[in-house]
Amino acid sequence: MNSNQMKLLLICILSVSFFSFGQDNLVHLNLKKGEVFDILFLATIDGSQETFKEYRQTAFPVASEMGFSPLPGFKIRETIQGNYEPTSLILAKWKNLASREKFLDEIEARVPNFHDMRKKIWSIFNLTFYELPEDYAIQLDREKVIVATACFKKERTKADFTEFLTRWKKAVKNTNGTLKMELVNGKSPEGYVYNPDYMAITQWETKEDFNAFQKENLKMDVGFLKNVNQFTLTD
């Protein structure tokens, strides 16, 4: 990533995610049942600063009016699994599913060049959103190893997939990892489809602990999975 891309990514994270934390490096995500949680994977196009400025001035006010709230985001340090390589993970929430869907239905009328601007700013812009079935109070520590994992299963493999997730989560626990959040039943808007069957945010105490997990993970039978994307996150 060159200097201009890095500058634009920083502006994006500052604007979308209120990217400021205390010196303890702790990130707090407080989410309520019925809210909608957005996960966006992005890669920024070099030289798109002016377009992003317009996007921020036109699209953000509409989103805020309709119940959008930014949450802390992350740069992606490394792609661990898969050939999909976004450079940042942005998080946000909406007050409810109705407000999320209203934005999708009305944004083109309010901002006619909305999708064109996105294409000029990001080479990757993939979105999954989840209506939350319960409250979440999550704390992540940027000094530890934070990992996002997305699993896509093949058709007619429900039993195998369930067994895999059981073993996968056991391996997380056995290597000093913590399952911070797991998400299913997501939705993606047309044009931005990225809809894994299972999404998890996990945290390990040390790089050595995570490496131990990876050794266990690689032993698992994943022939019933269509794809796995896994990323380590940073500030």
Side-chain angles (χ1 to χ4, degrees):
M1 181 182 295
N2 62 36
S3 60
N4 287 335
Q5 287 176 311
M6 183 62 72
K7 288 177 182 177
L8 182 57
L9 175 59
L10 181 58
I11 291 170
C12 177
I13 295 175
L14 280 165
S15 301
V16 178
S17 304
F18 294 156
F19 195 48
S20 59
F21 309 95
Q23 292 183 353
D24 58 5
N25 291 309
L26 297 181
V27 177
H28 299 277
L29 301 175
N30 294 303
L31 305 164
K32 299 297 183 182
K33 179 180 179 180
E35 290 182 331
V36 170
F37 183 53
D38 277 11
I39 295 183
L40 298 94
F41 287 103
L42 306 178
T44 304
I45 297 172
D46 187 28
S48 57
Q49 292 91 335
E50 286 303 312
T51 305
F52 180 74
K53 181 178 178 181
E54 180 185 357
Y55 180 85
R56 184 178 57 201
Q57 292 172 344
T58 57
F60 283 15
V62 178
S64 297
E65 173 192 322
M66 294 186 181
F68 168 86
S69 298
L71 296 169
F74 298 86
K75 290 182 288 185
I76 292 175
R77 181 191 300 274
E78 183 181 3
T79 296
I80 302 297
Q81 292 191 65
N83 59 356
Y84 174 63
E85 296 188 349
T87 56
S88 60
L89 174 67
I90 300 299
L91 306 176
K93 68 178 183 178
W94 301 74
K95 62 182 180 181
N96 52 47
L97 185 59
S99 66
R100 185 66 179 99
E101 292 181 339
K102 182 180 179 181
F103 176 81
L104 294 172
D105 290 339
E106 298 183 9
I107 186 60
E108 283 187 87
R110 300 278 297 271
V111 185
N113 62 338
F114 175 74
H115 296 294
D116 287 339
M117 286 192 291
R118 281 185 168 179
K119 291 176 183 177
K120 292 176 181 177
I121 300 168
W122 295 287
S123 58
I124 294 175
F125 189 111
N126 287 330
L127 164 65
T128 317
F129 60 90
Y130 301 86
E131 185 178 19
L132 298 175
E134 58 186 280
D135 292 352
Y136 289 90
I138 301 167
Q139 178 177 286
L140 299 171
D141 188 340
R142 294 178 182 275
E143 294 186 339
K144 298 181 180 180
V145 182
I146 305 170
V147 177
T149 303
C151 297
F152 301 78
K153 67 180 179 67
K154 295 177 182 177
E155 297 297 327
R156 298 185 295 278
T157 56
K158 183 176 180 181
D160 288 337
F161 188 61
T162 301
E163 175 62 22
F164 165 75
L165 291 180
T166 299
R167 290 186 286 116
W168 190 87
K169 287 185 277 189
K170 183 177 180 181
V172 171
K173 184 177 180 180
N174 289 345
T175 55
N176 296 318
T178 303
L179 181 60
K180 293 292 187 176
M181 192 174 196
E182 52 185 341
L183 298 160
V184 295
N185 300 322
K187 296 181 180 180
S188 288
E190 182 179 355
Y192 306 97
V193 174
Y194 184 83
N195 198 0
D197 295 285
Y198 178 80
M199 172 75 75
I201 298 175
T202 45
Q203 180 176 285
W204 278 265
E205 293 297 306
T206 66
K207 180 66 173 177
E208 290 73 23
D209 288 334
F210 178 65
N211 289 342
F213 164 79
Q214 286 295 78
K215 289 181 181 178
E216 293 300 312
N217 188 27
L218 291 174
K219 296 176 184 177
M220 297 180 188
D221 177 16
V222 294
F224 50 88
L225 292 180
K226 186 184 301 182
N227 199 8
V228 178
N229 297 141
Q230 190 171 72
F231 314 97
T232 53
L233 309 178
T234 185
D235 53 11

